[in-house]
Each structure stands twice: as C-alpha cells, then as structure tokens.
Amino acid sequence: MAGERLFTNSPASNSNMNTLFHSQQQNTSQQPLDSLFLSSSLPFFGSRTMVSFEDAQGGRKRCNSYLFNGFDLDENGDDEMDDYFQQSEKKRRLSVEQVQFLEKSFEVENKLEPDRKTKIAKDLGLQPRQVAIWFQNRRARWKNKQLEKDYESLNDSYESLKTDYDNILKEKHRLQSEVESLSKKVLARETQERESETKKLLQEPVMNKPLVDSVSEGEGSKLSIVEACNESNHNNNSRQEDISSARSDILDCDSPCYKDRVLQRNVFEPEYQSDLSQDDEDNLLPPYNIFTKLEDAHYSNPHHNSSGYGFQEDDHHHHALWSWSGY
DNA sequence: CTGGTCAAGTGGACCC
DNA sequence: GGGTCCACTTGACCAG
C-alpha cells in the first residue's frame, strides 16, 4: 500500500523521468543557488536516485552507480527501466547537491511558502511534496539540536547553582558551629562571673558585722543576705528584688528601672530591643540571657502570676517570652 | 545483528 | 475542505 502510494507519488514516474530526459533543459534555468551545481554534469535526481551523501566528500561508498551506470541517457533500455522502477520502490537518499541546495534554502528561511516550494522542487527535480517533507524533517532535526543545546545550557547552570549552594551550606554549618562554640564560651564566662559574684556577696555580710547583727537580732535567725533578699521577694513587694537578677551583669537589676522596664514595656517593641542593646552593648551577651532574666522576673513572684488581675497582660508577655525562649 | 540516520507515512490540530 | 505543521512512526540503508 505504501509502496503503491510511493510509486504513485514517486518522482521516478514524474520529475525524475523529466529530469532524466530533460536534464539539459533544467540546467538552463539558473538561479542564485544553482551556482552550487553548475559543475555537475548531471541534473539533480529525485528521491529515487541512489546517491550517497558522502560520495562528494570522499566518504562511504554505496553500490549506487545503478542509475549513473545503468541509466546512461544513451543506453537505457527496457531492462534498465524495469530495474529502475523495482529499485524506485525503495527509499532513496537525496544527492549531496540536492541536500546542499536545500540546506542553503533552509538557512535563508526555515519555512516554506508554496511558491518557494514549487521553485525549489523545480530546481532540484523533486516533487514539491518531497521538498516539503525535507523541510519538515529538517525543522525536526533543528529542534532536536536546539533541545540538546538548551539541555546542556540548563545543565551547566544547574551544576553552577548546585556548587554555589553547597558552598553556602558549608559556610552556614561553619558559622553555626562557630556560634555554638562562642555561646558556650559566653555561658561559661557568665557562670563563672556569677559564682565569683555570689562568693563576693556571701563574704560581705561576714565582713559587715553591723548589718548581719541587725538582721539576726531583728528576726532572731541566721539568714544570710541572700535569704533575706529571697524572703523580701516573696513578700509581694512590687520591687521584686530577685537576688539572681540583682547579681546580673547583664542588666542592672538593682536599679528600680529594671522591673519597670520588664513589666511595663513590650519586649517586642523595636524601641525596647534597641534600648537593651544600647544599654547593655558593653556586656555583649546573647539575647537568651536577657529572656532568662525576664522569665525569672515573672515566675519568681507567685503572687503576681496567681493574681487574677492583669492576667491578660501577663499572658501576653508569657507568650512572647516562650516564643523567644523556644527560638 | 544492532543502532543511527534519513526519507517518507500517518494522524491530529490549526489556519484561511 | 485543502494546505501546512508537528509529533510520532515506519522502512531502507549503512557502519561498526
């Protein structure tokens, strides 16, 4: 079926035969691209010609002298015609010259208008349909090449981005471990300073005899100044002089301003944060220490939390603080 | 024998 | 409705 169709549409029965029998006439119509083929003694054969692509380039050879040898214009007889039509039922490659001509046309314009198609077909001795098919296949090949190029380009881009990403990831891990290391150092330093401060405070009452005496005399106990401070914190004193806060080297909790700042200001206000950083910039301590202090300020006073009054406000603070401490 | 390449077939979508 | 384009397929041919 395909063979019949091929045969019907075959240029062998039309243009090829015309080409073969009227080659001299075809060669007389000179077009700009025709100059390529002026040296050829034979006209362009149609698709049924058995011409190797590489013949002109000294490449592979086919046993394709069939038409050239057997179809000599002077000697072709009925036998050769029969052989030709038998052979014509198989696919034939276009000649080198035809392909070169088509390639040049394709470079000029990869689409094919009807007039141009007819002209090219006439120039090459091909069926217009063959020219159209060649352009279709050529566009398909061009598209595949473009896809390959695009793929390579995208692949290169991907590799480049991946390398950058890996480098950034390494840098991130390095910085994370650095932060961790520095945090540990700061924590250790803070602990050490607290201990030394505690020792200092514990030694002070011993040296300050009158104070201790007054305390022990007044309450009849041997409470240290620390216990005295803790005791005072549980007395629903609005001052909340937490001893740990009092020893803080981050914020001066001895100052009345500290509690006020904690309780009255929203920790998420940029102003507040900037205040902290500005006030304590010399301390160079990480934020979590600050929030530890803030939590202490709240939970060290059970009366404050258990109170039904102002719970909403405190709850707001707790959410904020927990969010930050979780961070 | 197998895989690659090329010309051509096929069917659907689109346009005038 | 005919022509064209496109994606996919088929069949011929060749080289390794």
Side-chain angles (χ1 to χ4, degrees):
Chain A
M1 293 190 285
E4 289 176 356
R5 180 171 178 172
L6 254 177
F7 191 83
T8 305
N9 292 335
S10 167
S13 58
N14 296 317
S15 77
N16 260 1
M17 295 306 290
N18 288 341
T19 300
L20 287 171
F21 294 132
H22 306 289
S23 59
Q24 303 303 324
Q25 181 186 352
Q26 282 215 356
N27 265 344
T28 57
S29 61
Q30 301 299 334
Q31 303 297 332
L33 287 173
D34 291 350
S35 58
L36 264 173
F37 318 109
L38 286 177
S39 60
S40 174
S41 60
L42 281 174
F44 306 125
F45 289 100
S47 66
R48 299 299 168 190
T49 55
M50 191 72 171
V51 180
S52 167
F53 272 130
E54 278 74 23
D55 281 350
Q57 300 158 1
R60 64 190 186 210
K61 294 279 183 184
R62 280 183 194 171
C63 43
N64 57 4
S65 54
Y66 186 88
L67 287 174
F68 290 104
N69 293 337
F71 236 82
D72 184 271
L73 291 177
D74 296 331
E75 300 178 4
N76 60 345
D78 291 341
D79 290 343
E80 278 119 354
M81 285 295 286
D82 289 343
D83 287 347
Y84 175 81
F85 285 122
Q86 281 178 5
Q87 192 73 13
S88 70
E89 292 187 26
K90 295 180 180 180
K91 288 185 181 178
R92 291 286 173 264
R93 297 201 174 207
L94 303 178
S95 72
V96 179
E97 292 82 4
Q98 285 170 327
V99 171
Q100 284 176 348
F101 189 98
L102 289 166
E103 287 286 354
K104 293 250 178 192
S105 295
F106 187 82
E107 284 177 14
V108 174
E109 175 64 54
N110 69 346
K111 299 271 180 171
L112 203 56
E113 300 81 18
D115 291 346
R116 193 157 154 256
K117 179 176 68 176
T118 307
K119 182 180 173 301
I120 292 173
K122 189 181 176 185
D123 289 344
L124 296 178
L126 295 172
Q127 286 287 338
R129 174 171 169 77
Q130 281 181 290
V131 177
I133 287 171
W134 187 91
F135 268 74
Q136 279 183 22
N137 288 326
R138 185 67 182 80
R139 281 194 294 269
R141 287 193 291 269
W142 179 83
K143 189 178 178 183
N144 281 336
K145 278 190 176 182
Q146 283 299 122
L147 284 174
E148 283 180 12
K149 282 182 181 177
D150 290 347
Y151 172 77
E152 285 181 10
S153 174
L154 285 171
N155 203 35
D156 290 347
S157 176
Y158 166 76
E159 292 296 336
S160 173
L161 285 172
K162 189 171 179 294
T163 304
D164 290 349
Y165 172 77
D166 288 343
N167 289 337
I168 290 171
L169 207 58
K170 284 177 187 173
E171 180 69 6
K172 179 195 166 194
H173 289 148
R174 190 188 67 77
L175 290 171
Q176 273 180 338
S177 62
E178 193 177 332
V179 165
E180 203 172 323
S181 168
L182 289 172
S183 296
K184 282 178 183 173
K185 283 181 183 175
V186 168
L187 203 59
R189 179 184 147 200
E190 186 197 357
T191 305
Q192 190 180 1
E193 288 181 358
R194 278 188 186 187
E195 284 173 356
S196 65
E197 195 71 21
T198 304
K199 283 179 185 174
K200 205 175 173 183
L201 280 172
L202 288 174
Q203 287 170 358
E204 275 178 3
V206 177
M207 291 157 56
N208 191 353
K209 199 78 175 173
L211 174 62
V212 173
D213 287 344
S214 69
V215 169
S216 49
E217 283 175 9
E219 299 186 5
S221 70
K222 292 183 179 179
L223 286 174
S224 69
I225 187 68
V226 176
E227 290 164 336
C229 286
N230 279 334
E231 192 66 21
S232 70
N233 281 337
H234 290 287
N235 284 338
N236 200 19
N237 187 336
S238 64
R239 297 270 309 206
Q240 272 198 344
E241 294 186 9
D242 188 336
I243 192 65
S244 63
S245 297
R247 293 170 195 155
S248 172
D249 55 354
I250 302 166
L251 294 173
D252 187 6
C253 296
D254 284 332
S255 164
C257 297
Y258 172 69
K259 189 187 126 305
D260 292 338
R261 284 163 61 183
V262 169
L263 295 180
Q264 295 176 4
R265 300 179 68 171
N266 188 334
V267 294
F268 290 101
E269 287 177 12
E271 183 192 353
Y272 175 69
Q273 294 179 5
S274 68
D275 279 352
L276 285 182
S277 60
Q278 189 173 357
D279 292 346
D280 308 310
E281 62 183 353
D282 291 337
N283 291 317
L284 295 174
L285 290 170
Y288 60 80
N289 285 332
I290 296 171
F291 295 121
T292 304
K293 304 294 177 199
L294 298 178
E295 286 176 28
D296 287 344
H298 282 279
Y299 291 104
S300 62
N301 187 352
H303 298 289
H304 183 82
N305 286 337
S306 61
S307 167
Y309 299 100
F311 184 80
Q312 298 292 334
E313 181 189 29
D314 288 339
D315 194 42
H316 172 75
H317 280 290
H318 291 165
H319 278 303
L321 292 171
W322 279 114
S323 299
W324 276 97
S325 58
Y327 176 80

